């Protein structure tokens, strides 16, 4: 999917589904369940066994309907792996300017992880599409409010501890989006093939986004 279109999807849904530690055989069913529930942006973390193959297969089947990226991109070698697999965007837990520059040079969106104001500004100046604030819930909403005082020109994505119950709060304080892992991608539901549960869970998250807009 083209970068502009993918970012428009993220702007609409506000949610990046973080997929970590699943088996390759479940990737397509999971993507379909998320898509059926209204979530159209997902990342496969590179520390998931078989991640590159999953990204490739998901691009073949869902690439025109979903924005599919690579997460846990730690360094330039990981960035090349992600690019070769066909990832639409990169997400990192840390601020590595070489990874940010690599993404920019190859026309990919990049969401680098940061925590401190210094890291946030460094990531933004290096070319970040938006800055991932991690760990989001541990830092707390008060931290986000204070951070956005002087840095409200920098789009931020909250990741870590986000669930359907607090998602709206992060959006209302000014976050451009959120990354959601275990509270959305339930391992027990995946293991038992309860894709309707994943779909319904995704719908709850989308509803929370809609409610935050109407609040």
């Amino acid at each position: 999917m083209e970068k502009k279109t993918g970012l428009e999807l993220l702007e609409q849904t506000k949610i990046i589904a973080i997929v970590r530690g699943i088996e390759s055989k479940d990737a397509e069913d999971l993507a379909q369940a998320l898509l059926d529930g209204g979530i159209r942006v997902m990342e496969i973390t590179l520390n998931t066994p078989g991640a590159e193959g999953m990204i490739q297969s998901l691009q073949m089947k869902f690439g025109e309907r979903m924005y599919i990226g690579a997460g846990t991109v730690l360094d330039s070698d990981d960035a090349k792996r992600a690019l070769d697999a066909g990832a639409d965007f990169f997400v990192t837990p840390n601020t590595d300017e070489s990874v940010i520059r690599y993404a920019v040079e190859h026309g990919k969106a990049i969401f680098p992880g940061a925590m401190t104001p210094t890291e946030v500004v460094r990531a933004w100046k290096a070319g970040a599409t938006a800055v991932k604030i991690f760990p989001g819930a541990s830092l707390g909403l008060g931290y986000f409010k204070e951070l956005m005082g002087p840095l409200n020109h920098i789009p931020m994505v909250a990741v870590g501890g986000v669930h359907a119950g607090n998602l709206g709060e992060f959006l209302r304080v000014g976050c451009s989006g959120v990354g959601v892992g275990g509270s959305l991608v339930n391992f027990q539901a995946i293991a038992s093939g309860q894709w309707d549960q994943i779909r319904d869970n995704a719908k709850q998250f989308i509803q929370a986004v809609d409610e935050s807009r109407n609040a």
Side-chain angles (χ1 to χ4, degrees):
M1 181 174 286
E2 290 188 2
K3 179 179 176 181
K4 180 181 178 182
T5 305
L7 292 176
E8 287 172 351
L9 283 182
L10 181 56
E11 174 60 27
Q12 291 168 15
T13 65
K14 301 293 187 182
I15 298 168
I16 301 173
I18 302 170
V19 180
R20 185 190 309 275
I22 69 166
E23 295 184 38
S24 297
K25 66 180 180 62
D26 294 322
E28 291 188 6
D29 286 331
L30 174 59
Q32 186 65 61
L34 291 171
L35 182 59
D36 291 344
I39 293 178
R40 300 181 65 186
V41 183
M42 65 183 293
E43 66 171 90
I44 305 290
T45 66
L46 288 185
N47 60 349
T48 297
E52 289 117 310
M54 285 187 237
I55 293 170
Q56 290 171 346
S57 65
L58 290 173
Q59 284 289 12
M60 290 179 64
K61 185 166 184 178
F62 298 95
E64 295 184 359
R65 294 175 290 163
M66 297 186 77
Y67 198 39
I68 300 163
T72 317
V73 180
L74 298 177
D75 52 34
S76 296
D77 288 340
D78 281 349
K80 187 177 186 306
R81 288 172 58 203
L83 185 71
D84 290 344
D88 290 324
F89 62 91
F90 305 160
V91 182
T92 80
N94 59 316
T95 301
D96 186 324
E97 285 147 309
S98 66
V99 173
I100 299 171
R101 288 192 294 268
Y102 185 91
V104 172
E105 288 168 2
H106 290 86
K108 300 296 181 180
I110 172 74
F111 305 94
M115 184 175 74
T116 68
T118 299
E119 290 173 339
V120 171
V121 173
R122 276 180 53 205
W124 181 245
K125 287 186 174 181
T129 307
V131 181
K132 163 184 162 181
I133 307 301
F134 176 78
S138 297
L139 293 168
L141 290 169
Y143 183 82
F144 279 85
K145 290 178 183 178
E146 294 178 8
L147 191 64
M148 288 178 185
L151 302 179
N152 64 347
H153 62 291
I154 300 176
M156 301 181 197
V157 176
V159 177
V162 179
H163 51 77
N166 65 9
L167 181 155
E169 296 175 342
F170 284 102
L171 296 181
R172 283 190 289 272
V173 299
C175 289
S176 298
V178 298
V180 186
S183 62
L184 170 62
V185 184
N186 184 281
F187 281 110
Q188 290 183 340
I190 293 171
S192 58
Q194 294 179 324
W195 305 114
D196 56 342
Q197 182 177 329
I198 299 289
R199 178 202 63 209
D200 293 346
N201 203 13
K203 287 182 178 179
Q204 289 181 4
F205 276 86
I206 293 297
Q207 182 179 350
V209 172
D210 292 340
E211 289 174 352
S212 74
R213 289 190 172 112
N214 298 326

